[in-house]
Amino acid sequence: MRAKIFRYAVLVGVAALLLSAGMFFRIQLRAEETEIFERLAIEAEYAKNGLARGGKTYLAGLPDESRITWIDRDGTVLYDSAARTDSMENHLSHEEIRQALEQGEGRSSRFSKTLQRRTFYYALRMSDGTVLRVSCDHSNLGEMMRVVALPGAGILVLVLLLSVFFSDRLARQIVRPINSLDMDQPRAVYPELGPLVDRLRSQNETIADQMADLRRRQEEFSVLTDSMREGFLLLGSRGEILSANHIAQDLLAQSPVQTLEDPACEQTIVQTARRALKGSRDEARLNLNDRVWQIIANPVRLDRARAGAVLLMLDITERDQRERLRREFSANVSHELKTPLTAISGFAELMKEGMVPPEQVKEFAGDIYDQSRRLMALVEDILDLSRLEENTRPRPMTQVDLSALAGRVMRQLEPVAGRFSIRLEQELAPCTVLGDESILEEMLYNLIDNAIKYNRPGGWVRVSTGLRSSFPFACVADNGIGIPPDEHERVFERFYRVDKSRSRAMGGTGLGLSIVKHGATYHNARLSLDSAPGKGSRVTLTFSTEKH
Ligand code: ADP
């Protein structure tokens, strides 16, 4: 813009100079022309008077300043002060002669290219009808130009320099306020810029509105993705991170990263994302910080062109554990079922083959009976557990008197306790819970049964119920063999036993505490175990009064 203003200003300067020079020369020429014609008219008037008085002799005696020609009415040259008359052509065709013959006087000028000069003619009609013409040459424009060429060129250069200087200043002055225009809050520095500034202002407002809208959407999007329990990662076509919620960021790298190219990025995610960026869906598993993640990457297409990829990261730790437990459970169940079945079929086979002496038949039948009881207990426990796990007991909850229930279970187990010389003690304060009586009975049975089974001869088992901080509770304590601290979690797993042979010998299935744990969950109760090897164990169930 500055260059353009500058160019135009210089052009205007030079054009103005040339135009005024041209006009000056033209006015000058006109003035000179008028002056010449006036002089020629005076001379012609003198010559006319002289000719009238003295004839040709007068003309011949005149000085040579101007050329004088006397022309007859028919155009024949009668006299010429500069040439021989007999060699001269008829002058009737000459402009000034025709004018003089018609109007009394005539004037014209002609330019001779060969002589490079202009000749001015003034003709006057005499009273006898002849025409007297006075003419003179005049230095032409070229000559004049030569005279003024040097100072003119000097002036031109000066004007050029001045116009360059002022044009530059002008261009700077015009452009400076435009350059220093505050684009955020524009003000019209020139009235001509008013519409442009108004437009800028309205565009600024539109942009601000759109930016606010974009920010709001971005925030909404962030809130949405951050509240997700899954990791969410949106990638551009070159692997640049367009959006990532905090789970995705944590999984991707330990510090914030902008692109997948960053070497700090988790390589499993990078590889999966790369395949999606190439256009195909991919999945992967990632084990990180004791959790298992499933990475699902899908390509994103815009107008059929690959535009990036979107990755979802699902925490499948629980699902994974459940699957592992289920696999273990199936393997354990078959193993547990196989043991008594093998024994039963072995004993039965011996009896069938008649290989058992008659006096031992009763003993063998007793063994078969024990193994089948064990099998039944196992199947019952498995069924209970699976029902509890699937929550498929459609029985309605009722108010259950926990102390009465505990007393009943203790009475059931008294013979067993007696067999192992275990003393049963009770501190049963009345309390009721909303629950399923048969499940609660089974839970208490398993706990008291365990306290008797994993005890020492002469040991004790204390069962207490009541309210603690207005919450109903049931507690089974013993001074038996106890459980090592690192096994506390595991004893609630299915089929887990601390001492396998002892459990088997006691007819344990390995499912008792597992049923207790699921029963507690079913009743929304808190289950705690306090136990140490050689000192004994205490299992407490604390029920919440909330309904569920
Ligand atoms: P089991 O049918 O073998 O008794 P449980 O699930 O009831 O299976 O118990 C799991 C294991 O926890 C038992 O095998 C035993 O080793 C241990 N256990 C349970 N209760 C007690 C207790 N009161 N004292 C010591 N060990 C116990």
Side-chain angles (χ1 to χ4, degrees), residues 28 37 99 167 181 183 215 258-259 289 342 379 400-401 446 466 474 482 525:
Q28 188 67 21
F37 276 123
Q99 281 179 16
S167 302
L181 206 68
M183 299 304 266
R215 261 196 298 276
Q258 307 297 323
T259 163
N289 304 333
T342 315
V379 171
V400 181
D401 184 342
N446 288 347

Side-chain angles (χ1 to χ4, degrees), residues 10 14 17 155-165:
V10 170
V14 173
L17 175 77
I155 290 171
L156 185 69
V157 170
L158 190 72
V159 168
L160 253 175
L161 287 175
L162 283 175
S163 71
V164 165
F165 174 71

Side-chain angles (χ1 to χ4, degrees), residues 345-381:
S345 78
F347 293 141
E349 192 180 4
L350 285 174
M351 287 169 79
K352 189 185 89 177
E353 297 298 328
M355 291 171 79
V356 181
E359 66 274 14
Q360 281 193 336
V361 169
K362 201 176 172 191
E363 189 187 330
F364 269 69
D367 285 343
I368 291 175
Y369 176 74
D370 287 349
Q371 292 300 334
S372 40
R373 294 273 307 181
R374 190 176 159 201
L375 209 57
M376 274 165 68
L378 194 67
V379 171
E380 243 164 56
D381 276 1

